[in-house]
Amino acid sequence: MTRSGRWNNGTILLISTLVLMVLGGLSAIFISPPVYMFPEYLLTDPFLQFPTETTVKVVWFTPFPGIEHRVIYGENLERQVSATTTKLTRTREDKLSHLGEIMLEKPGDFPILRDVWRHEGEITGLSPGEKLPYEVISVHDNRQELRSDRFLLAPSPQPGTPLKILLTSDHQLKPMTAANIEKVAETVGSVDAIFLAGDLVNIPDRASEWFDDRRGNAFFPVLQGRAKYTLEKDGKATIYTGAALIQNAPLFPALGNHEIMGKWSEEEGLNPQFDGSYPRRVAESDYEQQAARINPSGDEQIKEDWIKNHSFNSDTYEQIFSLPESPGNGRYYAVTFGDIRLVVPQITNMWRSPNLSANTQGRFRERDRDLNQPENWGYGQHIFEPITPGSPQYEWLKAELNSPEFQQAKYKIVMFHHPPHSLGENIVPAYTDPVEIIDKDRMGNPLVIRYEYPQEKDYLIRDVIPLLEEAKVDLVLYGHSHLWNRFMSPKGMNFLETSNVGNTYGAYIGKSRRYVPPAYQPEYAPVGDPNGLEPILPTLAPLQDDRPLPYIASNDLTVFSLLDTEKGTISSYVFDTRNPESEVVKFDEFLVRRH
């Protein structure tokens, strides 16, 4: 055992070898797997979730079930509360996982389940403005006590409390994420909350992407200052650790397309399963055709599980976070935080490639080899949660925007993943249900199956944005295209996309043109914002090309934005990772409240 209390790979392998030698003739029976022992460490630091006026939840994870888990808190850590423990049900690893000490070797071709336990302690009876030290303690199955460092917890801030909120998106283990978060802490110190507009990881059921990816930039380590990512630029290698933010400040996430897994399989890797999401209606239809065989007893739980496993789910995301109650089971929600009312709808769809190759299951067509095999169709960029008038989510949103909590808030903010206005690639085509078109030959055989997305039926522009305008929303925050740009509606509503942490897809303006399919009925916009707004030039220090640029889309420059509720401003900062010693530059600032 090492000093940190961990069994290293060599120790476990040695134990395994000795056991096999002792067993001798029984080795044919017990030849695999090697003896496994629960690692003796906390998988994450604790982090804060969804505070109210008098409560806050403390959450952490371990790679062992444990005997006891508790939060101790108070000026002298004199109080304590027991944690509730649950096990994540879908976390797995596969041959594309970047694993560390947690496993002896990479798994084979197919995914294997990975055990992760979640612990949540709810602190109650807090007073307004109170900040208290806290630690978490987990007692291992071998009775060893494991203890976190000390952090601060607090209830939701009172109206009038000055706050600094980090606005970010699309972390996805991208190359500049650890540098980005580290520079946030260097620039402003601590933050009071984080609003994260979706795409937290790449493959949501791959546990290592959340906790301990060997490359050093998994989701929780970056936001807890425990990352160790080596970023190489222009021959220079710099190690970034992220920053310890969420141990002391609550994280408010939105569902992005990368929080949603597709069809469950024990015989495909996690990447194909992620790509294999299908509309719920298709899975329901398939179920009805096979119900007598699948579920002869008519058990509702069996039916629900089968449809979920053959369409899509966000179970791992829902099990990781303490999501507020809502008609959407927390997939969409609203909370008050100080002077802010934050409304988080679920607005995201399945991303598919724009490639028109005959071998691509894309947003605009099916593969040629699948023309007569509907079970292999992808159904284009289908939407995961309806938000059309009359849908449960739309009616919830309409009611929320008319609620006293929203109407009386000083700052009215709506956050979701898909962009309503953007210079990026992912805003094309329109946010609407794909229209299936089957072109046939004279004999009625399919020649091509393609999808169109009528722009006049864009649900965001047609249905959602008018609601937000009428409710006098101050800011719409989103991501998805991995760039920074902002816009303002004629009525003064601000739109901000601030998700530049690496792997940008570019900005399409001037001579730079998006790829759009030829000979399609909708006229998909190759340049600019398809929904008609002009991007706003940064107010302080715009980047320059042959003219000032109204965006930042770079794999070298990383951007973050901060809402200051005392000043009523949103400030955006840029850092050049090619020059690790360079200063962070504030390049844009605007008043967030509507004029």
Side-chain angles (χ1 to χ4, degrees):
M1 187 182 295
T2 63
R3 282 190 182 178
S4 64
R6 303 189 187 197
W7 292 96
N8 61 37
N9 291 353
T11 303
I12 297 176
L13 187 58
L14 177 59
I15 293 172
S16 305
T17 303
L18 291 173
V19 169
L20 290 176
M21 290 174 64
V22 171
L23 289 174
L26 297 178
S27 63
I29 300 174
F30 297 104
I31 196 166
S32 66
V35 173
Y36 177 77
M37 306 189 72
F38 288 122
E40 298 167 333
Y41 58 91
L42 303 181
L43 199 50
T44 66
D45 270 344
F47 63 100
L48 303 180
Q49 285 280 270
F50 293 98
T52 69
E53 292 182 350
T54 59
T55 70
V56 67
K57 295 178 179 179
V58 177
V59 177
W60 71 103
F61 296 86
T62 63
F64 55 85
I67 299 171
E68 179 188 2
H69 306 275
R70 65 187 187 272
V71 184
I72 57 174
Y73 66 101
E75 292 298 339
N76 299 303
L77 302 180
E78 70 279 7
R79 290 181 271 177
Q80 70 175 8
V81 63
S82 295
T84 300
T85 294
T86 55
K87 187 178 179 182
L88 304 187
T89 60
R90 290 178 177 255
T91 44
R92 292 165 286 166
E93 305 289 0
D94 66 357
K95 66 180 180 180
L96 296 182
S97 298
H98 293 264
L99 299 169
E101 289 185 353
I102 189 66
M103 303 182 79
L104 290 179
E105 59 184 17
K106 288 188 178 181
D109 289 339
F110 305 136
I112 60 173
L113 289 169
R114 177 173 170 190
D115 293 336
V116 175
W117 283 267
R118 179 187 191 270
H119 316 287
E120 176 184 287
E122 185 171 15
I123 312 302
T124 60
L126 297 172
S127 301
E130 187 175 29
K131 288 192 175 184
L132 295 175
Y134 80 96
E135 297 176 10
V136 301
I137 296 173
S138 287
V139 180
H140 191 274
D141 303 71
N142 64 11
R143 302 191 179 279
Q144 179 181 356
E145 186 178 276
L146 302 170
R147 195 164 183 152
S148 74
D149 290 336
R150 190 168 301 182
F151 307 106
L152 290 175
L153 59 78
S156 185
Q158 291 291 293
T161 305
L163 302 173
K164 287 185 171 61
I165 313 291
L166 173 62
L167 310 177
T168 184
S169 183
D170 296 83
H171 286 193
Q172 293 182 254
L173 288 80
K174 296 301 182 188
M176 294 191 292
T177 309
N180 182 286
I181 298 302
E182 189 168 315
K183 293 302 172 181
V184 170
E186 289 181 10
T187 302
V188 296
S190 62
V191 297
D192 297 294
I194 298 172
F195 296 171
L196 204 163
D199 281 9
L200 287 63
V201 294
N202 286 306
I203 308 297
D205 283 2
R206 185 175 286 135
S208 50
E209 292 197 13
W210 293 100
F211 303 115
D212 52 6
D213 188 287
R214 187 173 58 198
R215 293 167 293 184
N217 60 338
F219 178 77
F220 282 109
V222 165
L223 289 172
Q224 296 190 323
R226 298 160 63 95
K228 190 176 182 181
Y229 185 77
T230 302
L231 183 63
E232 296 186 6
K233 293 287 181 181
D234 297 341
K236 304 174 187 175
T238 305
I239 296 176
Y240 292 99
T241 61
L245 299 183
I246 60 175
Q247 294 97 320
N248 306 290
L251 168 66
F252 297 92
L255 260 172
N257 56 294
H258 279 273
E259 277 68 70
I260 298 176
M261 282 295 288
K263 187 174 180 180
W264 174 279
S265 173
E266 295 180 357
E267 298 180 352
E268 281 190 308
L270 293 176
N271 285 39
Q273 291 183 51
F274 169 74
D275 291 332
S277 72
Y278 301 98
R280 196 83 73 195
R281 61 175 175 80
V282 175
E284 290 170 350
S285 176
D286 290 346
Y287 172 83
E288 293 302 329
Q289 295 176 29
Q290 307 174 63
R293 176 183 61 82
I294 298 168
N295 188 14
S297 66
D299 186 283
E300 281 299 314
Q301 190 61 53
I302 292 175
K303 175 182 177 180
E304 181 181 327
D305 290 344
W306 193 96
I307 291 171
K308 177 195 294 186
N309 288 337
H310 289 78
S311 55
F312 58 84
N313 74 89
S314 54
D315 284 13
T316 296
Y317 170 87
E318 294 175 50
Q319 291 171 10
I320 284 177
F321 297 105
S322 304
L323 300 170
E325 291 185 9
S326 76
N329 294 321
R331 293 187 299 273
Y332 48 89
Y333 63 88
V335 294
T336 295
F337 191 75
D339 285 325
I340 301 167
R341 185 65 174 177
L342 175 67
V343 180
V344 185
Q346 181 185 343
I347 299 178
T348 187
N349 58 2
M350 179 60 194
W351 184 92
R352 298 203 188 277
S353 171
N355 194 314
L356 290 178
S357 163
N359 296 318
T360 298
Q361 185 186 71
R363 66 183 65 163
F364 297 115
R365 62 165 296 165
E366 299 289 358
R367 294 174 293 211
D368 279 359
R369 67 174 180 267
D370 295 334
L371 293 179
N372 294 304
Q373 296 179 302
E375 66 274 14
N376 293 333
W377 294 356
Y379 297 93
Q381 292 197 162
H382 57 90
I383 291 171
F384 293 118
E385 181 74 29
I387 197 162
T388 49
S391 68
Q393 183 177 205
Y394 183 88
E395 296 306 314
W396 165 83
L397 177 61
K398 189 165 62 172
E400 170 55 38
L401 296 176
N402 285 286
S403 69
E405 294 87 351
F406 188 84
Q407 291 295 322
Q408 294 167 15
K410 182 177 180 180
Y411 297 104
K412 302 173 176 67
I413 298 177
V414 176
M415 174 176 72
F416 48 80
H417 187 61
H418 195 90
H421 296 284
S422 179
L423 301 176
E425 179 188 45
N426 287 334
I427 195 172
V428 171
Y431 190 81
T432 189
D433 291 309
V435 176
E436 181 184 284
I437 300 170
I438 302 179
D439 296 331
K440 300 180 179 179
D441 63 18
R442 293 180 180 178
M443 303 299 293
N445 299 311
L447 295 171
V448 65
I449 299 173
R450 56 193 177 92
Y451 299 99
E452 295 188 353
Y453 305 78
Q455 191 160 358
E456 69 275 9
K457 294 183 179 180
D458 188 311
Y459 303 142
L460 268 175
I461 302 304
R462 186 191 70 181
D463 302 323
V464 175
I465 297 304
L467 277 185
L468 306 188
E469 288 278 21
E470 185 179 356
K472 294 182 169 52
V473 168
D474 297 304
L475 173 70
V476 182
L477 173 67
Y478 47 93
H480 197 36
S481 284
H482 301 199
L483 79 163
W484 180 96
N485 53 187
R486 71 178 179 93
F487 304 81
M488 180 183 286
S489 76
K491 295 182 180 180
M493 185 160 65
N494 293 291
F495 298 87
L496 177 63
E497 182 173 11
T498 178
S499 57
N500 191 256
V501 292
N503 194 30
T504 185
Y505 305 125
Y508 296 90
I509 193 170
K511 295 180 180 179
S512 180
R513 300 173 66 86
R514 296 182 188 90
Y515 178 79
V516 295
Y520 272 49
Q521 291 299 319
E523 295 182 2
Y524 302 118
V527 296
D529 170 35
N531 296 315
L533 293 186
E534 289 296 319
I536 294 175
L537 197 67
T539 57
L540 301 176
L543 297 188
Q544 302 281 331
D545 193 357
D546 54 348
R547 57 189 174 82
L549 299 176
Y551 64 85
I552 293 181
S554 169
N555 290 320
D556 296 315
L557 307 176
T558 188
V559 173
F560 60 88
S561 299
L562 292 162
L563 165 62
D564 186 326
T565 64
E566 183 176 29
K567 296 178 180 177
T569 58
I570 291 180
S571 304
S572 293
Y573 300 80
V574 61
F575 170 66
D576 189 343
T577 62
R578 295 169 297 187
N579 300 301
E581 304 304 318
S582 63
E583 297 293 322
V584 172
V585 175
K586 185 196 293 189
F587 69 93
D588 183 64
E589 187 170 270
F590 66 96
L591 293 172
V592 67
R593 296 188 71 187
R594 295 175 72 129
H595 304 318

